[in-house]
Amino acid sequence: MYSISQVAEKLNIKPHTLRYYEQEGILESNRNHASVRNYTEQQVKWLRFVLKLRETHMPVSSIQEYVKLMQEGEHTANERLQLLEDHRASIQQQIRELQDTEQMLEKKVSTYKDMIGNEVHPSISSYIK
């Protein structure tokens, strides 16, 4: 069992984040006789998954829907699969957009390096395309 501070440190998050996910129904904690939160290794693994989903910009509402479906049981496996596949498609779109942006930035960086490397410095306006 891990305390809230141990989990927070282990996952590099704030204890408030754990409380928030618990409040939103995404994470459950165990409580000891003094009502202090404790987390199992399985709960920590689940939280790692949730944090990865959040890193990829999955809305909290979608994670809540996933939790709801999990709690309903195995008969919701197709719905959970669809939710994750939809999110994967969203991530793939984000990757394409980031790659396009990276290419645009690479051209700008190259333009500025060329401009700075020239002995004669023409007006910057001629390099902005």
Side-chain angles (χ1 to χ4, degrees):
M1 293 291 242
Y2 300 97
S3 70
I4 192 168
S5 59
Q6 288 171 320
V7 173
E9 183 177 335
K10 186 176 188 123
L11 299 178
N12 198 29
I13 58 175
K14 303 275 186 214
H16 172 76
T17 303
L18 290 162
R19 290 185 203 100
Y20 170 75
Y21 286 139
E22 190 173 329
Q23 176 185 334
E24 294 300 316
I26 293 171
L27 177 68
E28 290 182 12
S29 66
N30 305 312
R31 303 278 181 139
N32 67 14
H33 63 280
S35 259
V36 174
R37 289 175 172 88
N38 288 301
Y39 300 91
T40 64
E41 186 63 38
Q42 188 64 29
Q43 289 165 320
V44 172
K45 286 178 184 178
W46 166 250
L47 186 56
R48 275 194 182 101
F49 177 66
V50 168
L51 293 172
K52 285 296 180 191
L53 294 176
R54 290 296 298 138
E55 283 178 16
T56 59
H57 305 285
M58 180 181 263
V60 168
S61 60
S62 295
I63 298 171
Q64 289 170 320
E65 178 65 19
Y66 185 85
V67 169
K68 182 181 142 251
L69 291 169
M70 272 186 5
Q71 291 170 342
E72 286 180 24
E74 290 302 314
H75 70 278
T76 65
N78 286 331
E79 292 169 88
R80 286 181 274 155
L81 173 62
Q82 187 62 55
L83 195 149
L84 292 177
E85 285 179 336
D86 290 347
H87 185 62
R88 181 176 60 186
S90 173
I91 292 169
Q92 291 167 340
Q93 179 62 33
Q94 289 173 47
I95 290 169
R96 286 189 294 275
E97 290 170 1
L98 286 170
Q99 287 171 333
D100 289 346
T101 301
E102 181 185 29
Q103 288 175 359
M104 184 268 313
L105 286 173
E106 186 58 39
K107 288 177 185 175
K108 289 293 183 190
V109 166
S110 178
T111 298
Y112 280 104
K113 284 181 176 181
D114 289 347
M115 182 184 74
I116 292 168
N118 279 337
E119 295 275 337
V120 180
H121 295 286
S123 164
I124 192 170
S125 62
S126 66
Y127 284 95
I128 298 177
K129 300 176 180 156

